[in-house]
Amino acid sequence: MNSLYEAVIGLEVHAQLLTETKIFCGCSTNFGNPPNTNVCLVCLGHPGALPVLNQKVVEFAVKMGLATDCTINRNSIFARKNYFYPDLPKGYQISQFEKPICEFGKLVVVKNDGSMKEIQIKRIHMEEDAGKSIHDQEETTLIDINRCGTPLLEIVSEPDMNSAEEAYLYLSKLRQIITYLGICDGNMEEGSFRCDANVSVRLKGESQLGTKAEIKNMNSFRNVEKAIEFEIKRQIEILEDGGKIIQQTLLWNAEQNIALPMRSKEEAHDYRYFPDPDLMPVEVDEIWKSEIEKKIPELPDTRCKRFIEQFNLPNYDAGILTSSKELADYFEKVTEVTTDYKSASNWIMTEVLKVLSEGKIGISQFIISPVNLGNLIVLINNKTISIKIAKEVFLEMLKSNQEPDTIIKDKNLLQISDTTEIETIIDKVITANPKDVQEFLSGKEKVIGFFVGQVMKESKGKANPQIVNELLKKKLSQQK
Amino acid sequence: MLQYKNHFQKLELLRANKLSLKKNVQDFLTSIAKSKNLNAFNFVFEDCLDNAEIIQKKIITGEAGKLAGMVIAIKDVLSIKDKPLTCSSKILGNFNSIYTATAVQKLINQDAIIIGKTNCDEFAMGSSNENSAFGPVLNPHDNSKVPGGSSGGSAVSVAAKLCDAALGTDTGGSIRQPAAFCGVFGLKPTYGKVSRFGLTAYGSSFDTIGPFSNSVEDTALILEVISGKDEKDSTSAESEKINYSNSLTTDKKFKIGIPKEFFGAGLNQEINVAIHNILNKLKSEGHEIIDVSLPLSEYSIPTYYILATAEASSNLARYDGAHFGFRSKDTPNLKELYTNSRTEGFGKEVKRRIMLGTYVLSAGYYDAYYNKAQKVRRLLKESYDKVFKNVEIILTPTTPTTAFNLGEKSNDPLEMYLTDIYTTSANLVGIPGMNIPVGFDNKKMPIGMQLMANQFNEIAILQLGKVISEL
């Protein structure tokens, strides 16, 4: 980035809430049902139908507000956003405008260079999602109203971010918080967590904001980063060439890695917001607020600090383990079985996360229970098996989902510490490799590694490596 | 001629088998057929006869509901499952409701017989019932006169004795004004007293549902049945449950406020005289008549037409040809589908109000119109609150004139809007109001008088209404 300039970025995030029913009617929010089956006269906008607010949506909005240090407005108002589109049967979207439920929040992100950055949240409001227009037909467009009325939170940041990295971190943090709260699944690819970015650039030291462009259609974290980088570069180049930025909406094209302008016709809207006369103001009194507050689980930052203190883990480990609530829960369940916290952390950060990323699954789909992983660590620590065997057992647990004890017994993997048994194997190996014995005797002590390997191989990895080492040295020296 | 004056008398006749409900319903159906020229009904439900015998049996065995055998017509803006819902508009085409409005369901639950759906101004927008895709409704007292609107068909069906009672809706006077023009009782309840679920929205913060009937008793009885909090309407209210029909008789002496702003220039002299005759009689019976002032009254019409049309412009967005109802045949693309369906489907007055409402909500005009009107609405409410500290009832004319000629005002929307001058305030403030027929002018056209009371004080209106109707 040209160092004369600075970027100014604000994000608008739409999070689909995990309520069982829609925001203003009793229809299911279940994803993937046949088109137009999760519908009723309310979400179809039939004459005479009226919205009735789902109180769970308010609860979820207040949770998100409290988790991001927002002021919770005691009274907030639903408003109608008027526009015509076929996937919006009423001709207006019920949203919040002048008085949203949450305002003036903030969150802190830690940048890659270790510095901290506070980002203000301007507002969080509740609204209904629209339906889906399906344009894959030859001449006609199909409409699916199932999604219409699915509750959304819109979370609007202040233009506080100055780089794609900060935007990425802010978005990740929001996602982490919202999934910790269990109110949204945070899935960007499936569209249940969506993000639009407002980007402008200005000369450093300038107090006035530059003209902004809005980027839409970024359906992954990586795309958000790439699109913002692209747009910053594009705007700086225009300014450097003496040009002017025009305010417009761009659509990110992930295949070509470029942002292209939307047709201007699609963006010239006067939404004619006004308070929805069908809904009473939403009142969240102190009693309700504190009831909701009690339901908020330990949040990622607090949990990370606790992991560092309680389990004596490095910051890095605690950060990774608390990156999602499920992973942190998993770790804590392992620690109920073993007090070797660092080993538990190592196993999760390496072996477990490797399996998850290879299989593209979440920890909730991971087959090995935390109790079994804990027991495996216990078996290593009491020298029942070696780490090497443990890895073998781990792979077997992935396949058969059996307890480590059972696998060790069935496969006869108990560590051999019986010296007579090991000596027999050593003798066999020495006899079979006279050349290498000579090399050892001539001073090449490194060859000992070869012998250890052979013995371990012969014992199918079960020989206690410490005892093997000691006995080998003794036996080889005796060959002189 | 009907053998009964109200539903209590009808029930007695039915119970004693002195009246056959089946014949009674058949007589109404015959009268409707004979009065086709009045154009009061959009749809008549001939099959409602099927219920008559069953309901009469229930009455005799004592299992019947409060409204057993009452024959009721429903304004065609209210949903009844599997029945057409047109709002007297072409744009709803052959639309049938898939559910029943709460207010209608409550009537049915009490064994009322629903005889049909009545004509009205398109989407309840109008004061003369001339804005209907089904054509105008005629006043039964003089067929060259309008019946008032928007619930003209409901008022006429009751005035012409085509049924026992009717439901109408009142957003700016649409029950009280046609009741006045047709000489029947018409009650607009407190906003929120009757669930709006199933009522096609016009101005959602004003819309109310209420009864037309030929007696205070029947008005009270229907109100008692249809009112109450409804989980399906967040704006419906919990209010004290009063058995209105059993609480009508009282010795109470009322404090009655007469607002001078409602008796100024523009009020027809015959109406003024008729009302003052009533006032004199009330005074002589010991009721207290007090002069009061409601100085903001002159702003009620503009305030109403800004706010109600703003809401209407949004409420009517769903009639776009894409989802249900009428769709233009000329639909080369989405924009044309919308434009042509709405251009061909809506009538002139509805288009006028959609445009007006869209304008007042537009960027740059919102504060000057919508916001300012909301402020006036609040001030108006405060001024009524103040007056209701001193009086229990506000008594006014319902309309400045009696029914006017068909076509007389249809080319002058402002003149037409002014016919609501005495009724819109109650909608802006959310209070109940009732028209009471109090005589006729020299052309034998009915004169109406309006009683208003504070929110949820319908009982005061009904009690004083009974006193007046027996003067």
Side-chain angles (χ1 to χ4, degrees):
Chain A
M1 182 169 145
N2 186 320
S3 61
L4 290 173
Y5 291 90
E6 100 178 322
V8 179
I9 302 155
L11 295 186
E12 280 174 26
V13 171
H14 285 92
Q16 248 178 34
L17 296 181
L18 292 168
T19 53
E20 307 230 316
T21 55
K22 293 185 178 179
I23 181 167
F24 297 121
C25 63
C27 288
S28 164
T29 51
N30 198 26
F31 181 78
N33 285 24
N36 300 310
T37 54
N38 294 351
V39 295
C40 71
L41 58 103
V42 175
C43 50
L44 289 172
H46 274 216
L50 293 170
V52 177
L53 177 62
N54 179 348
Q55 299 295 311
K56 260 279 179 288
V57 176
V58 181
E59 185 184 315
F60 284 10
V62 171
K63 273 187 179 173
M64 190 61 191
L66 290 172
T68 50
D69 263 336
C70 285
T71 305
I72 310 299
N73 286 326
R74 192 186 167 107
N75 285 296
S76 70
I77 291 172
F78 279 104
R80 293 186 185 176
K81 178 179 179 178
N82 295 284
Y83 65 96
F84 285 97
Y85 206 69
D87 59 22
L88 191 71
K90 296 191 299 296
Y92 57 85
Q93 179 196 26
I94 305 177
S95 180
Q96 294 195 297
F97 187 57
E98 277 184 354
K99 262 193 150 187
I101 187 156
C102 313
E103 285 179 286
F104 318 119
K106 62 171 188 293
L107 53 76
V108 176
V109 296
V110 182
K111 292 168 67 173
N112 294 341
D113 64 9
S115 65
M116 312 247 266
K117 168 104 184 188
E118 185 179 284
I119 294 153
Q120 309 287 325
I121 290 169
K122 189 176 179 185
R123 55 186 279 147
I124 299 176
H125 73 245
M126 304 174 277
E127 63 185 24
E128 57 178 347
D129 209 343
K132 270 184 188 159
S133 298
I134 301 151
H135 298 291
D136 60 0
Q137 309 292 304
E138 287 222 340
E139 293 214 331
T140 50
T141 296
L142 300 177
I143 307 293
D144 180 4
I145 301 297
N146 279 359
R147 201 182 67 181
C148 199
T150 299
L152 296 177
L153 285 188
E154 182 172 326
I155 304 156
V156 184
S157 83
E158 292 288 356
D160 282 353
M161 289 154 275
N162 301 111
S163 66
E165 184 206 354
E166 287 178 12
Y168 176 89
L169 291 170
Y170 165 81
L171 195 62
S172 307
K173 191 79 185 209
L174 268 191
R175 184 181 179 278
Q176 190 188 23
I177 293 171
I178 213 164
T179 52
Y180 256 74
L181 293 171
I183 62 177
C184 170
D185 66 17
N187 192 325
M188 274 196 99
E189 285 76 10
E190 280 177 15
S192 46
F193 189 75
R194 316 195 276 265
C195 169
D196 302 333
N198 287 307
V199 179
S200 65
V201 298
R202 63 179 168 195
L203 284 171
K204 273 184 189 160
E206 182 75 53
S207 58
Q208 209 125 8
L209 287 172
T211 307
K212 67 177 180 184
E214 186 179 9
I215 320 173
K216 289 178 178 284
N217 201 37
M218 303 168 288
N219 57 0
S220 74
F221 280 81
R222 186 75 195 105
N223 279 332
V224 171
E225 223 179 354
K226 282 204 283 192
I228 292 173
E229 269 163 11
F230 171 90
E231 181 56 17
I232 294 171
K233 195 163 162 263
R234 187 186 74 91
Q235 292 189 13
I236 291 175
E237 279 170 9
I238 291 174
L239 294 178
E240 283 289 281
D241 288 348
K244 266 194 171 171
I245 310 294
I246 37 169
Q247 184 159 350
Q248 59 183 341
T249 305
L250 305 163
L251 288 182
W252 178 247
N253 184 320
E255 277 100 58
Q256 297 178 48
N257 281 324
I258 49 171
L260 295 169
M262 266 176 108
R263 278 177 293 148
S264 59
K265 229 165 76 180
E266 292 167 19
E267 45 176 320
H269 278 306
D270 176 1
Y271 291 120
R272 292 176 285 120
Y273 281 100
F274 74 103
D276 191 331
D278 288 334
L279 290 158
M280 306 297 277
V282 183
E283 193 190 345
V284 182
D285 59 18
E286 286 302 316
I287 299 170
W288 194 17
K289 195 169 95 179
S290 66
E291 273 170 18
I292 296 170
E293 197 158 19
K294 277 180 210 144
K295 292 188 199 166
I296 293 180
E298 189 182 20
L299 291 170
D301 284 356
T302 321
R303 200 167 194 184
C304 183
K305 262 183 221 147
R306 179 167 65 80
F307 274 24
I308 294 166
E309 284 159 21
Q310 183 181 344
F311 302 117
N312 200 20
L313 293 174
N315 291 7
Y316 178 78
D317 290 37
I320 288 183
L321 292 174
T322 56
S323 62
S324 86
K325 182 171 181 290
E326 287 71 25
L327 193 66
D329 288 346
Y330 189 94
F331 170 78
E332 291 215 71
K333 284 196 190 116
V334 176
T335 64
E336 285 166 16
V337 182
T338 173
T339 52
D340 185 356
Y341 307 133
K342 182 60 181 132
S343 288
S345 168
N346 290 345
W347 271 90
I348 291 172
M349 292 203 306
T350 55
E351 304 305 322
V352 176
L353 288 183
K354 196 170 105 193
V355 174
L356 297 188
S357 83
E358 279 169 0
K360 290 194 172 123
I361 53 168
I363 187 75
S364 54
Q365 290 133 288
F366 184 61
I367 193 163
I368 299 174
S369 73
V371 174
N372 281 349
L373 184 67
N375 281 331
L376 187 67
I377 295 167
V378 169
L379 290 169
I380 300 165
N381 289 346
N382 67 18
K383 302 207 160 49
T384 310
I385 50 173
S386 66
I387 289 183
K388 188 157 180 286
I389 293 289
K391 290 190 176 164
E392 222 174 286
V393 174
F394 181 83
L395 291 177
E396 192 55 35
M397 284 159 82
L398 279 177
K399 271 186 239 158
S400 61
N401 190 22
Q402 281 176 309
E403 288 174 17
D405 276 333
T406 319
I407 293 170
I408 290 163
K409 259 178 225 147
D410 286 359
K411 300 227 154 190
N412 195 19
L413 294 173
L414 271 181
Q415 185 153 286
I416 305 167
S417 302
D418 176 355
T419 45
T420 4
E421 205 176 323
I422 294 176
E423 275 177 28
T424 318
I425 300 170
I426 290 175
D427 290 344
K428 208 173 143 192
V429 170
I430 288 177
T431 323
N433 299 287
K435 261 192 187 170
D436 299 284
V437 175
Q438 285 311 313
E439 274 191 43
F440 177 82
L441 293 177
S442 69
K444 280 194 177 173
E445 297 215 342
K446 272 202 273 179
V447 187
I448 189 110
F450 165 77
F451 283 101
V452 173
Q454 289 299 308
V455 173
M456 293 308 286
K457 194 175 163 192
E458 197 67 26
S459 74
K460 299 201 171 78
K462 291 184 290 182
N464 183 327
Q466 244 178 313
I467 299 174
V468 171
N469 250 311
E470 282 165 26
L471 288 178
L472 255 178
K473 278 183 192 156
K474 205 169 98 190
K475 287 256 175 190
L476 283 169
S477 309
Q478 284 169 2
Q479 300 295 317
K480 277 183 190 168
Chain B
M1 247 337 249
L2 297 173
Q3 297 165 258
Y4 51 88
K5 283 199 169 121
N6 59 45
H7 190 62
F8 297 100
Q9 293 182 5
K10 182 175 187 177
L11 269 179
E12 263 174 47
L13 294 171
L14 289 170
R15 203 174 287 126
N17 250 329
K18 286 181 184 161
L19 175 69
S20 152
L21 186 55
K22 195 172 174 184
K23 181 168 181 306
N24 173 252
V25 176
Q26 184 59 64
D27 287 348
F28 280 133
L29 289 171
T30 309
S31 302
I32 291 171
K34 278 187 190 159
S35 313
K36 249 197 144 62
N37 67 311
L38 297 177
N39 204 17
F41 281 83
N42 288 351
F43 304 96
V44 179
F45 305 149
E46 307 275 347
D47 59 355
C48 72
L49 260 182
D50 301 350
N51 282 331
E53 277 176 83
I54 304 165
I55 290 175
Q56 185 147 16
K57 268 181 205 148
K58 281 170 91 176
I59 293 169
I60 291 165
T61 56
E63 301 159 68
K66 278 184 187 176
L67 298 180
M70 190 188 263
V71 178
I72 302 180
I74 306 294
K75 185 179 183 180
D76 197 10
V77 293
L78 289 159
S79 300
I80 307 177
K81 191 173 192 296
D82 300 329
K83 301 286 186 195
L85 174 74
T86 71
C87 302
S88 292
S89 179
K90 186 180 167 189
I91 206 153
L92 272 162
N94 299 318
F95 184 79
N96 283 324
S97 300
I98 60 169
Y99 71 107
T100 300
T102 301
V104 178
Q105 190 59 52
K106 285 182 161 183
L107 298 179
I108 294 170
N109 293 348
Q110 294 298 325
D111 293 319
I113 293 176
I114 308 300
I115 196 165
K117 299 191 84 174
T118 53
N119 200 344
C120 56
D121 281 301
E122 186 179 1
F123 285 102
M125 297 179 186
S127 309
S128 65
N129 217 132
E130 292 168 292
N131 311 322
S132 165
F134 292 86
V137 180
L138 309 185
N139 194 312
H141 295 274
D142 177 346
N143 292 354
S144 69
K145 306 272 186 195
V146 301
S150 65
S151 314
S154 293
V156 169
S157 70
V158 172
K161 309 275 187 332
L162 308 179
C163 53
D164 291 321
L167 286 191
T169 64
D170 191 317
T171 307
S174 285
I175 289 175
R176 291 157 291 157
Q177 188 252 24
F181 280 9
C182 294
V184 296
F185 291 89
L187 172 71
K188 170 227 174 292
T190 305
Y191 180 80
K193 179 139 186 104
V194 179
S195 165
R196 291 186 294 119
F197 182 72
L199 160 61
T200 309
Y202 154 31
S204 312
S205 73
F206 303 89
D207 292 340
T208 54
I209 301 170
F212 286 92
S213 81
N214 282 305
S215 67
V216 175
E217 286 79 4
D218 287 359
T219 305
L221 188 60
I222 295 170
L223 177 68
E224 171 180 318
V225 168
I226 63 174
S227 57
K229 169 89 184 158
D230 180 8
E231 293 307 321
K232 293 174 186 152
D233 174 4
S234 314
T235 63
S236 68
E238 205 74 70
S239 59
E240 196 189 347
K241 283 207 166 51
I242 299 179
N243 199 330
Y244 294 104
S245 52
N246 289 340
S247 320
L248 291 176
T249 313
T250 175
D251 297 332
K252 187 167 153 185
K253 299 301 168 197
F254 286 91
K255 278 186 171 180
I256 302 165
I258 310 297
K260 60 172 186 284
E261 292 81 4
F262 286 66
F263 291 86
L267 175 61
N268 172 287
Q269 211 36 47
E270 286 183 82
I271 297 177
N272 200 359
V273 168
I275 291 177
H276 278 90
N277 284 340
I278 302 275
L279 287 178
N280 289 336
K281 288 184 194 166
L282 286 172
K283 214 184 271 180
S284 65
E285 297 232 333
H287 300 283
E288 203 179 333
I289 310 294
I290 301 165
D291 287 330
V292 297
S293 177
L294 292 161
L296 291 168
S297 298
E298 62 173 307
Y299 299 110
S300 66
I301 291 274
T303 306
Y304 167 76
Y305 275 97
I306 287 169
L307 296 177
T309 59
E311 293 176 11
S313 70
S314 171
N315 284 331
L316 270 62
R318 69 189 64 191
Y319 311 106
D320 59 5
H323 296 272
F324 48 72
F326 171 79
R327 178 184 290 179
S328 170
K329 289 194 173 72
D330 181 19
T331 60
N333 57 46
L334 181 63
K335 199 185 157 204
E336 301 279 298
L337 183 149
Y338 285 153
T339 311
N340 297 340
S341 300
R342 288 167 72 82
T343 302
E344 295 164 32
F346 285 133
K348 200 173 167 187
E349 181 60 26
V350 171
K351 284 180 199 160
R352 182 171 13 245
R353 295 196 194 189
I354 290 173
M355 289 179 69
L356 192 58
T358 305
Y359 177 77
V360 300
L361 288 176
S362 297
Y365 298 98
Y366 183 87
D367 284 334
Y369 294 105
Y370 184 85
N371 254 351
K372 186 159 277 178
Q374 286 288 27
K375 278 179 199 154
V376 176
R377 187 178 191 179
R378 273 193 296 277
L379 291 174
L380 201 62
K381 168 90 171 62
E382 284 166 20
S383 71
Y384 272 77
D385 286 346
K386 216 170 121 189
V387 169
F388 282 126
K389 279 183 185 149
N390 297 321
V391 302
E392 190 167 18
I393 295 279
I394 294 174
L395 189 154
T396 73
T398 307
T399 55
T401 66
T402 55
F404 45 89
N405 291 328
L406 280 157
E408 188 182 325
K409 297 176 197 273
S410 24
N411 291 322
D412 188 346
L414 285 184
E415 192 66 21
M416 187 71 91
Y417 294 172
L418 284 173
T419 66
D420 295 330
I421 190 153
Y422 301 141
T423 48
T424 48
S425 296
N427 300 85
L428 285 161
V429 178
I431 56 174
M434 180 166 78
N435 176 70
I436 301 171
V438 291
F440 296 87
D441 68 6
N442 60 13
K443 291 178 192 135
K444 299 203 170 77
M445 294 310 289
I447 291 173
M449 188 175 83
Q450 174 176 234
L451 300 183
M452 292 183 276
N454 212 343
Q455 288 178 317
F456 302 105
N457 197 10
E458 278 84 355
I459 188 64
I461 290 177
L462 292 164
Q463 286 173 340
L464 185 59
K466 185 163 164 65
V467 170
I468 293 169
S469 67
E470 289 168 356
L471 283 175

